[in-house]
Amino acid sequence: MKFVDEATIRVQAGSGGNGCLSFRREKYIDKGGPDGGDGGSGGDVYLVANEGMNTLADFRMARKFRAESGDAGAGRNMTGKSGSDLEIVVPIGTIVHDVDTGELIGDLTKSSERLKVAEAGRGGYGNTRFKSSTNRAPRKTTNGTPGESRHLSLELKLLADVGLLGPPNAGKSTLIRAMSAAKPKVADYPFTTLHPNLGVVSVGSLQSFVMADIPGLIEGAAEGAGLGIQFLKHLQRTRLLLHLVDIAPVDESEPADAVAAIQRELAKFSAELAAKPRWLVINKIDLLAEHDLANARSALLKNLDWQGPAFEVSAATGRGTTELAQAVMRELERMKRKAAESNA
Ligand SMILES: Nc1nc2c(ncn2[C@@H]2O[C@H](COP(=O)(O)OP(=O)(O)OP(=O)(O)O)[C@@H](O)[C@H]2O)c(=O)[nH]1
Ligand SMILES: [Mg+2]
């Protein structure tokens, strides 16, 4: 299985055009002076962040990118046409390294942000440039310089406010479908989601936050089991985790065990991630009668010794999801105010 939040590409900036060797040839002028123009410069290669894109999937097919080269100069002091710059669209949150040197080239965090990744070659000089009082008919020109060529690794860490956490089949994708316009695949088998999906959750008409649906995590994920640790990385940049638990699993396993297993993986992966604010979201409440639900809920909270916020939802019917979205929005606003105050 292959995942698409990492990709490597080759970029080549345009070369400069060569300078031109030429002399004026006109009627009645016997020995015209030099009139060879300069070569045009090549095009640079840029990466540009765009919110319309949220995976690096496209780079599995297209992996080589080349900007236009400049044209050579021409007689009559004509400078060659410059090559156009090349813009490669990448998702917001893309981190770029040079594969050969390991150097961090940059991190695209805002919409429309541009990052130059390969420098164009300069145009060469035409012979006109070398005219002087002692050399009226220079035959010297210079060639354009080659454009820079680089091997880049792209890595996408999602920039979501909220990350959904849970084992396979907990209903993460169903929940993001219920709360946003994102429509990832939902199915009753594990590992339906193979790469992260982002959804924008609107709360009222003016407020919204970005939620990330990631593949399910299983015991041993921190060491690479299942779809592995790369998806834990995505959660590092979120501000709040929603930990989904299926309250009525078909195999009749204990919901508390499922939550505890994931808590252990978080702690193994990173202390920082384990300490991130995390709310419990009890899903599939439509499967239980009112009374059974109340019992299952209190058993779960007691088993886990859960002190934090806990919500009940049915991702399938949408019940409880509006309240959840509103509470998340309030919490994100509160965090933002707190961060602003401590910066002031
Ligand atoms: N009855 C009921 N079924 C649900 C609910 N939410 C999800 N399901 C079902 O549970 C199964 C798994 O749902 P998904 O949304 O694909 O689960 P996931 O957590 O994204 O799973 P992975 O992508 O495999 O990690 C599907 O058959 C859903 O229809 C719910 O609130 N009630
Ligand atoms: Mg899923």
Side-chain angles (χ1 to χ4, degrees):
M1 261 183 280
K2 203 146 169 104
F3 305 104
V4 285
D5 51 348
E6 277 172 338
T8 58
I9 60 172
R10 288 188 184 274
V11 293
Q12 163 87 58
S15 302
N18 294 340
C20 170
L21 174 66
S22 168
F23 294 96
R24 227 172 330 145
R25 301 262 180 267
E26 281 173 56
K27 264 185 185 170
Y28 315 119
I29 302 177
D30 185 17
K31 288 208 177 83
D35 74 348
D38 296 342
S41 52
D44 297 317
V45 182
Y46 289 89
L47 301 186
V48 186
N50 186 297
E51 66 251 329
M53 214 177 163
N54 55 34
T55 75
L56 295 171
D58 290 354
F59 296 107
R60 276 188 300 178
M61 310 307 283
R63 303 177 63 172
K64 282 192 177 153
F65 299 87
R66 180 186 274 274
E68 268 178 17
S69 291
D71 287 345
R76 296 171 194 249
N77 287 318
M78 288 207 289
T79 301
K81 186 171 159 288
S82 298
S84 314
D85 293 340
L86 179 70
E87 294 197 337
I88 304 170
V89 178
V90 297
I92 297 176
T94 300
I95 299 170
V96 191
H97 282 90
D98 185 313
V99 172
D100 300 317
T101 64
E103 174 204 353
L104 171 68
I105 302 174
D107 185 355
L108 293 119
T109 57
K110 289 187 282 292
S111 180
S112 303
E113 194 171 336
R114 270 160 63 99
L115 177 69
K116 193 193 276 189
V117 289
E119 182 84 38
R122 285 185 309 274
Y125 287 157
N127 64 334
T128 309
R129 296 265 190 176
F130 298 98
K131 185 168 87 177
S132 68
S133 55
T134 53
N135 187 358
R136 304 235 188 136
R139 301 194 63 82
K140 182 175 174 170
T141 61
T142 59
N143 287 340
T145 60
E148 188 181 14
S149 156
R150 274 179 130 171
H151 193 188
L152 305 178
S153 86
L154 308 181
E155 186 189 8
L156 178 62
K157 286 198 185 178
L158 294 175
L159 294 183
D161 303 297
V162 177
L164 294 179
L165 185 67
N169 272 336
K172 301 175 295 297
S173 299
T174 309
L175 187 65
I176 206 169
R177 287 176 74 102
M179 294 175 72
S180 78
K183 292 291 169 255
K185 185 167 155 196
V186 164
D188 61 355
Y189 52 82
F191 302 118
T192 306
T193 302
L194 297 180
H195 61 82
N197 300 290
L198 289 186
V200 178
V201 181
S202 301
V203 181
S205 56
L206 292 174
Q207 290 181 303
S208 66
F209 60 86
V210 178
M211 189 153 92
D213 167 32
I214 68 161
L217 297 175
I218 58 171
E219 192 99 56
E223 288 90 34
L227 298 185
I229 56 171
Q230 52 183 329
F231 297 108
L232 285 166
K233 284 198 277 184
H234 289 309
L235 299 175
Q236 285 178 307
R237 288 195 181 183
T238 62
R239 293 189 283 157
L240 175 66
L241 301 176
L242 297 181
H243 190 155
L244 255 73
V245 52
D246 179 346
I247 197 64
V250 279
D251 61 3
E252 302 195 348
S253 58
E254 196 55 60
D257 293 345
V259 176
I262 286 190
Q263 286 177 168
R264 284 194 297 275
E265 293 309 314
L266 289 184
K268 267 194 273 176
F269 180 72
S270 118
E272 191 197 345
L273 191 58
K276 205 177 267 296
R278 184 163 50 94
W279 293 358
L280 199 60
V281 176
I282 298 169
N283 188 31
K284 308 197 188 181
I285 59 170
D286 56 291
L287 293 177
L288 295 181
E290 211 56 53
H291 177 73
D292 295 334
L293 175 62
N295 286 341
R297 175 195 163 101
S298 55
L300 173 66
L301 299 185
K302 185 156 169 277
N303 246 326
L304 289 171
D305 190 23
W306 186 264
Q307 308 293 338
F311 292 79
E312 290 173 16
V313 300
S314 165
T317 68
R319 197 172 133 204
T321 57
T322 307
E323 292 80 355
L324 176 61
Q326 287 168 344
V328 167
M329 196 72 243
R330 278 196 301 274
E331 177 64 10
L332 294 174
E333 290 294 321
R334 195 188 64 77
M335 288 177 176
K336 215 183 276 175
R337 276 198 306 276
K338 217 171 106 186
E341 276 163 23
S342 62
N343 280 342

